[in-house]
Amino acid sequence: MTAPVNPLRDPQDRRLPRIAGPSGLVLFGVTGDLSRKKVMPAIYDLANRGLLPPGFSLIGFARRGWAEQDFAQIVHDSVREHARTEFREEVWHQLSEGFRFVPGDFDDDAAFDQLRRTMDELDAVRGTGGNFAFYLAIPPSFFGAVAGQLKKHALAQPGTDSWRRVVVEKPFGHDLVSARELNAILDQVFAPEAIFRIDHYLGKETVQNILAMRFANNLFEPIWNSNYVDHVQITMAEDIGIGGRAGYYDGVGAARDVIQNHLLQLMALVAIEEPTSFAADSLRVEKLKILRSVARPSRLDQTTARGQYAAGWAGGVHVPGFLEEEGISGSSTTETFAAVRLDIQTRRWAGVPFYLRTGKRLGRRVTEVAVVFKKAPYQPFGATSTEELTENALVVRVQPDEGMTIRFGAKVPGTAMEIRDVNMDFAYGGTFTEASPEAYERLILDVLLGDPPLFPQHEEVELSWRILDPIIEHWARKGSPESYPAGSWGPESAVRMLARDGRTWRRP
Ligand SMILES: NC(=O)c1ccc[n+]([C@@H]2O[C@H](COP(=O)([O-])OP(=O)(O)OC[C@H]3O[C@@H](n4cnc5c(N)ncnc54)[C@H](OP(=O)(O)O)[C@@H]3O)[C@@H](O)[C@H]2O)c1
C-alpha cells in the first residue's frame, strides 16, 4: 500500500512556496533606473513574502562613491516608492543587514578585489554559502567587460558545493552577429545553465497562464490549429513616448526593443506543441521548433509596417512628436511602431498568419494575444440576423486588467433571430484573492533557485534575430518611417497590411 501524501512534507507539492537556499546577489548598475524601479523592490517583496533565506545578501556595484549608510538609505527609498507589498520594518531590518556597497568602475581591478573580499565576508557572517548571482543591470556595451573581470578575478567559478550564475537584461545584442558575439563572451565565462537572460514578459502570470490554459484543459487544444484558427494578433501597445530613454531608444527602435524578445516569445508559447514537461529543456525544444519553422518573411513592403509618432494628443495633453523629443536627432529614422506578419510552417499552423505589432504613443496601454477563429462554415440565419456578428476570438489580456475574454455570438433578446457578439470574461483580480507577483519577483527567485524554464537560451535569441534581421535591413534601405499622430493606432501602412489579407487590427 502506498503511503498517503502529506502535502506539508511532499517536496513535489507545488502549492508550497519555493524558498531560495543560502545565496546573495551582486547587482552591477545598482544606481540605475532598472535596479531602483524593479530589481530592488522585487527583492524586498520576495523577502516580505518569506521567499528569501534569512541570510540573503545584496552587494551593489557602481561608480558613485556611496558610503554603506547612503546605500541602505537609497535602497530603502526605492523600496518604499516601488515595492508591491506593504513595508514592514522588521523585514527591512533583517534584509538591510545584508547590504554592502562596492564603489568602482568596470575596468578597476581593485574594485573587483574588493568585491571578492565582500563576498567572502558575507559567506562568513551571513552564511551565503558561496552562492552568488551576478545581475548585469548595466548598459549592454559593458557586458563583455564585466564578464571578463569576473573571469579574471575567478569570481565566476563555482565551488564544489556552491553555484555562480549571471543574469543579463535585454537587449541581447543588436542583430544576429552581435548576439552571437555576446553569447560567445558569456559562454567563455559561465556554463550555459548558469546564464539567465531576463525577458520579463515570461515572468508575467498571464503569460504563464497561456501554458496553463492550453495544456491543463481539454477545451481549447482541439481547435488550436489551422482548421479552426483564422489568424493570431499579438499586440503590445504603449500610450507613453520614449520618456527619458532617448539615449537607449534612438537607433534601437520598436522591433528590436519589443518584437525580437517579448513578442516572439509570446508567439512561441501560443504556437508550441505540448512539451513533455515544464522543465527548461522540454519547453525550450518546443520553442526552438517554432522559431525554426518561421518562414523567412517575403514581400516585406506588404507584410511589414513601421511608423514614427508625430505630435498629437495623449490623455488629453498635447505631446511632442518623436523627432522633437529631447535627445533625439531631428533626422532619426528609428521606428516607434512596428508590425510584422509571420508564417509558421508546420502542419498545425500552415496558412495561419501571426500578426505582431508594438508601438509607443498609441491609443492605449495594452498587451494582448488574440486568437481569432474562422467563421462557422454555414449559418442557417437570414443575412441581416448576423450583420453584427464577427469572428469568435479568444483574447489573453496580458496587461493591464489581466485575464481572458472569449468573444462569441449570442441571440439578442426579442422575437427576431438577431445574433450579436458577446464577451465572456475571466479576470484574475475578480477570481483570485492573491495579487499577481511582479514578473521580476518570479524571475529573481527562479535565478536563486536555479530554475530556468522562463529564460530564453542563446539559440532562441539567435533564431529571433534571424527572423528580424532581414526586416530591419529592409527598413534601413527605405529611409524614414511613415509618421502617425500620437494617440492613434499607428500608421496607415499597418492598416493596409491587414486589409490586403482581408483582415483588420483589433482595437483593444
Ligand atoms: N530601465 C528599464 O526599465 C529597463 C527595462 C528593460 C531592460 N533594461 C536594461 O537594463 C540595463 C540597465 O538599464 P538602466 O535603464 O537601469 O540603465 P541606467 O539607468 O543608465 O543605469 C546604468 C547603471 O550602470 C552603471 N554604470 C555605467 N557605466 C559604468 C561603469 N563604467 N562602471 C561602473 N558602473 C557603471 C551606472 O552606475 P553609475 O552611473 O552610478 O556609475 C548605473 O548604475 C540595460 O541593459 C537596459 O537595456 C532596462
Side-chain angles (χ1 to χ4, degrees), residues 50 71 76 117 162 166 206 251 267 296 352 371 384 399 486 488:
F71 178 56
H76 175 270
R117 286 194 294 277
S162 61
V166 68
T206 21
M267 182 188 83
R296 193 184 163 92
V352 179
V371 179
T384 53
Q399 70 177 20
S488 69

Side-chain angles (χ1 to χ4, degrees), residues 6-11 13-18:
N6 177 348
L8 292 175
R9 309 200 66 176
D10 177 10
D13 189 338
R14 307 294 289 175
R15 290 167 298 182
L16 291 178
R18 303 173 311 150

Side-chain angles (χ1 to χ4, degrees), residues 167-338:
V167 186
V168 284
E169 272 287 343
K170 67 154 209 190
F172 313 122
H174 196 72
D175 53 17
L176 178 59
V177 173
S178 56
R180 280 195 178 139
E181 281 166 10
L182 173 59
N183 285 331
I185 290 169
L186 294 173
D187 284 344
Q188 278 171 19
V189 183
F190 291 93
E193 63 278 9
I195 303 171
F196 288 72
R197 294 169 185 79
I198 292 243
D199 184 333
H200 73 270
Y201 258 66
L202 298 183
K204 288 181 184 289
E205 290 284 325
T206 21
V207 172
Q208 292 160 50
N209 197 37
I210 293 174
L211 297 174
M213 176 194 71
R214 288 196 53 198
F215 302 123
N217 300 297
N218 211 10
L219 184 59
F220 306 109
E221 209 49 26
I223 53 168
W224 212 256
N225 55 55
S226 61
N227 295 331
Y228 295 94
V229 177
D230 179 72
H231 70 281
V232 178
Q233 294 188 20
I234 304 181
T235 301
M236 182 190 147
E238 293 179 283
D239 53 0
I240 54 169
I242 51 159
R245 305 198 72 212
Y248 162 73
Y249 199 81
D250 199 10
V252 172
R256 288 188 176 99
D257 190 38
V258 175
I259 295 184
Q260 187 273 339
N261 35 69
H262 308 323
L263 297 197
L264 284 177
Q265 285 286 328
L266 275 179
M267 182 188 83
L269 295 181
V270 171
I272 53 170
E273 296 301 316
E274 184 166 32
T276 48
S277 77
F278 285 120
D281 282 346
S282 313
L283 205 53
R284 187 178 314 135
V285 164
E286 299 305 334
K287 282 201 282 175
L288 284 174
K289 276 194 221 159
I290 293 298
L291 293 171
R292 281 196 202 112
S293 309
V294 173
R296 193 184 163 92
S298 59
R299 301 179 296 118
L300 294 175
D301 283 330
Q302 279 135 55
T303 56
T304 72
R306 68 183 175 136
Q308 198 180 60
Y309 64 83
W313 293 87
V317 179
H318 192 261
V319 293
F322 180 68
L323 297 180
E324 290 103 57
E325 297 273 17
E326 207 182 317
I328 298 293
S329 133
S331 57
S332 171
T333 57
T334 300
E335 83 281 356
T336 60
F337 175 98

Side-chain angles (χ1 to χ4, degrees), residues 28-38 61-64 66 104-107 135-140 142-143 169-171 200 245 248 257 262 440:
F28 290 100
V30 71
T31 54
D33 188 63
L34 182 79
S35 294
R36 281 181 291 118
K37 290 195 184 138
K38 296 287 182 191
F61 187 111
R63 281 171 300 192
R64 269 162 255 189
W66 287 346
D105 206 297
F106 298 141
D107 58 11
Y135 197 125
L136 309 189
I138 57 175
F142 289 110
F143 287 171
E169 272 287 343
K170 67 154 209 190
H200 73 270
R245 305 198 72 212
Y248 162 73
D257 190 38
H262 308 323
Y440 276 91

